[in-house]
Amino acid sequence: MGPVETATEIRPFQLDIPKEALEDLRRRIEATRLPSKELVGDRSQGVQLATIEELATYWATEYDWRKAEARLNALPQFTTEIDGVDIHFIHVKSPNEHALPLIMTHGWPGSVIELLETIGPLTDPTAHGGQAEDAFHLVLPSIPGYAFSGEPVEVGWELGRTARAWAELMDRLGYTRYVAQGGDVGAGISDAMGRQAPDGLIGIHTNLLVPALGGTMPTETDEERAAAAQIATFRQSGNGYFVEMATRPQTIGYALLDSPVALAAWMLDHDTDSYYKISHAFVDGEPVGNLTRDHILDNITAYWLTGTGASAARSYWEAYGPDAPAAGREPLPPSPIPVGFTTFPGEIWRTPRSWAEKAYPNLNYFNEVDRGGHFAAWEEPELFSEELRAAFASVR
C-alpha cells in the first residue's frame, strides 16, 4: 500500500494540457464572429476591433502555449487542500537560507503568470544588482477559482477567507515569520491579512490602495483632488467589468467559458493605461516593459484552458457584491503591523501619501516611482522587486 493522503498534504503539481484542448482553442478562435468596428476613435466603447483582430490572429497562428507550460513546469509547483479547496502555488526558495519568506498574490485579470518575472530578482537579488540579505523565499498562490487552483463550491470565499487560507498555507510550509504583498484583488487579500494579523505575519505591502475604494479620502490638496477625480472617472466610465462581476458573474461567465475571444476582450478591458499598452503590443508590435504578446496570451490562455473565467468573476461578487454573505459585515480594524505602499504612475489612480497614511496608521514605507501601471510586477519586474526589497528592509 502507498502512503495515506492526509488533508494537509502538499503535493507536487505539473501541467500537461491535452493536445486536443489546444486544437479546440484554435478552432474556436478561428470560428469567432466579430462585431463591426466601434464608432469612436478610442476605447470609450470598449476593446477596439483592430486590437482583437491582431490578438486573435497571433493567438491562432503563432502563439505557443507549450512554452508557457514548460516555463511553469520548470518551477516548483504544488497543491494543497485548504478549507475544502485545492490551492495551487509556486514555492521558490532563495539560495540564501536566511531569506525572508514572502507570500505574493496576483489580481484580476491576472494569475501567477503576471508574477513570474519577479521570481529571479526576489529570490536571488545578487544576480539582479541587489544584496544577498535582501532575498526572499517566495510563495505565489493562485487565488481560489483562478486558473490552477480549484473553484469554491460554496459561497463565502471573500477576501478575508482567502487571507486566512494564505496564513494556513504559510504555516504548513513551516514559515513562522513572513511578509505579504499584493496588487488588485491580491491587494485586498494582503490588506485583510494585515488586519487579521495572523501569528508570524510581520508586515504587508500593496500597490493598490483598497481602502480608497470603500471609504472617503481627504481632498484638501491638489494631489488629493487629482486622485479623487481619477477614482470618479473610473466609477463613471471605467468599471463596467467590476459592476458586472460584482453583481452578475454567472451571466458573463457563459461568454467567458464559450468563446476564447470573448474571454480575451473581457480581460483586456480593465484599465486605460494597461489596455493601451497591451493594444500597442498587438497592433504596433511595441510592447511596454514585459507586457509582450506572448506573456499576455500566456495569462489569457491559462484562464481558458482551466475554464475559470466565471469562477474568477465570482470572486468579485464575494468581495464586493451587495448580495454576498460578506456584504454588511463590520470592517476589520486597522492593521496593527507595519504597512508599505508603492504608487505607480499608470495605476487607476495615483495614491497620495496622505491617503496611505489615513488608510494605514502603521504605514512605515511609502514611495512614488516614475514608471509602471496596474500590472506593475508584470510590466516592470526589476523595479517592482527593488520596491519590495526597500519596503520590507525595516522589518527583516
Side-chain angles (χ1 to χ4, degrees):
M1 286 181 62
V4 176
E5 183 178 308
T6 64
T8 59
E9 185 181 15
I10 293 172
R11 304 175 296 276
F13 177 89
Q14 289 273 284
L15 279 162
D16 185 17
I17 299 298
K19 180 182 177 184
E20 295 77 26
L22 300 177
E23 292 172 345
D24 175 66
L25 168 59
R26 187 166 290 110
R27 281 195 301 271
R28 287 172 180 262
I29 296 168
E30 291 170 344
T32 301
R33 293 177 61 197
L34 292 170
S36 56
K37 187 178 184 294
E38 64 281 354
L39 304 179
V40 292
D42 57 20
R43 74 177 287 254
S44 60
Q45 289 192 340
V47 175
Q48 294 157 294
L49 181 63
T51 300
I52 283 297
E53 286 179 329
E54 292 295 334
L55 181 151
T57 298
Y58 185 80
W59 203 2
T61 61
E62 296 184 56
Y63 173 73
D64 182 4
W65 163 257
R66 294 298 185 199
K67 291 180 181 177
E69 187 175 82
R71 187 181 184 205
L72 285 162
N73 285 341
L75 295 165
Q77 296 182 94
F78 305 91
T79 60
T80 189
E81 185 184 314
I82 301 177
D83 202 4
V85 174
D86 274 339
I87 301 298
H88 163 269
F89 63 98
I90 296 168
H91 184 198
V92 182
K93 292 188 176 181
S94 169
N96 178 358
E97 61 178 302
H98 302 296
L100 178 64
L102 164 63
I103 183 165
M104 188 156 68
T105 313
H106 65 84
W108 186 90
S111 65
V112 290
I113 287 170
E114 73 178 273
L115 303 175
L116 296 183
E117 297 293 332
T118 66
I119 292 175
L122 290 173
T123 60
D124 189 12
T126 52
H128 297 265
Q131 304 297 316
E133 58 268 25
D134 293 335
F136 296 93
H137 296 310
L138 197 56
V139 179
L140 306 177
S142 295
I143 299 171
Y146 285 68
F148 311 116
S149 277
E151 293 186 17
V153 294
E154 62 180 3
V155 297
W157 271 94
E158 32 69 57
L159 300 172
R161 188 167 175 178
T162 305
R164 291 189 292 275
W166 280 191
E168 169 65 20
L169 175 59
M170 295 303 274
D171 186 59
R172 282 188 197 177
L173 293 173
Y175 291 133
T176 56
R177 188 174 182 276
Y178 63 93
V179 292
Q181 197 283 328
D184 193 80
V185 175
I189 293 167
S190 301
D191 172 270
M193 289 183 77
R195 295 170 190 274
Q196 293 170 359
D199 288 345
L201 182 64
I202 60 170
I204 68 166
H205 175 276
T206 75
N207 49 290
L208 183 77
L209 195 74
V210 177
L213 285 171
T216 304
M217 290 292 168
T219 53
E220 295 167 8
T221 68
D222 288 345
E223 192 181 23
E224 289 170 348
R225 284 188 288 271
Q230 287 178 311
I231 292 179
T233 297
F234 171 69
R235 286 180 170 146
Q236 288 161 9
S237 62
N239 70 341
Y241 74 91
F242 189 105
V243 173
E244 180 72 11
M245 296 200 299
T247 59
R248 294 293 186 271
Q250 190 71 14
T251 303
I252 190 62
Y254 297 108
L256 304 184
L257 271 289
D258 189 61
S259 165
V261 170
L263 175 68
W266 189 249
M267 293 173 72
L268 259 56
D269 200 5
H270 183 268
D271 67 280
T272 300
D273 178 74
S274 62
Y275 167 73
Y276 282 125
K277 287 171 178 173
I278 292 168
S279 181
H280 283 313
F282 284 101
V283 176
D284 307 314
E286 297 174 359
V288 177
N290 210 39
L291 293 175
T292 65
R293 294 183 300 183
D294 282 340
H295 287 159
I296 295 301
L297 286 173
D298 289 345
N299 183 56
I300 296 170
T301 307
Y303 273 70
W304 174 262
L305 294 173
T306 57
T308 51
S311 55
R314 287 186 206 121
S315 74
Y316 273 65
W317 184 92
E318 292 281 11
Y320 310 109
D323 300 317
R329 281 187 193 163
E330 283 295 311
L332 292 167
S335 172
I337 61 176
V339 177
F341 188 85
T342 302
T343 184
F344 290 85
E347 186 52 272
I348 299 170
W349 70 90
R350 295 181 73 153
T351 294
R353 185 184 188 112
S354 58
W355 283 17
E357 289 172 341
K358 182 175 188 237
Y360 299 114
N362 274 11
L363 188 77
N364 75 330
Y365 179 86
F366 179 89
N367 194 29
E368 183 171 346
V369 295
D370 62 357
R371 63 187 190 277
H374 185 76
F375 298 101
W378 203 355
E379 183 185 341
E380 297 285 352
E382 296 278 356
L383 173 64
F384 190 83
S385 301
E386 287 174 17
E387 277 301 296
L388 294 197
R389 293 197 291 264
F392 290 125
S394 65
V395 300
R396 283 185 178 272

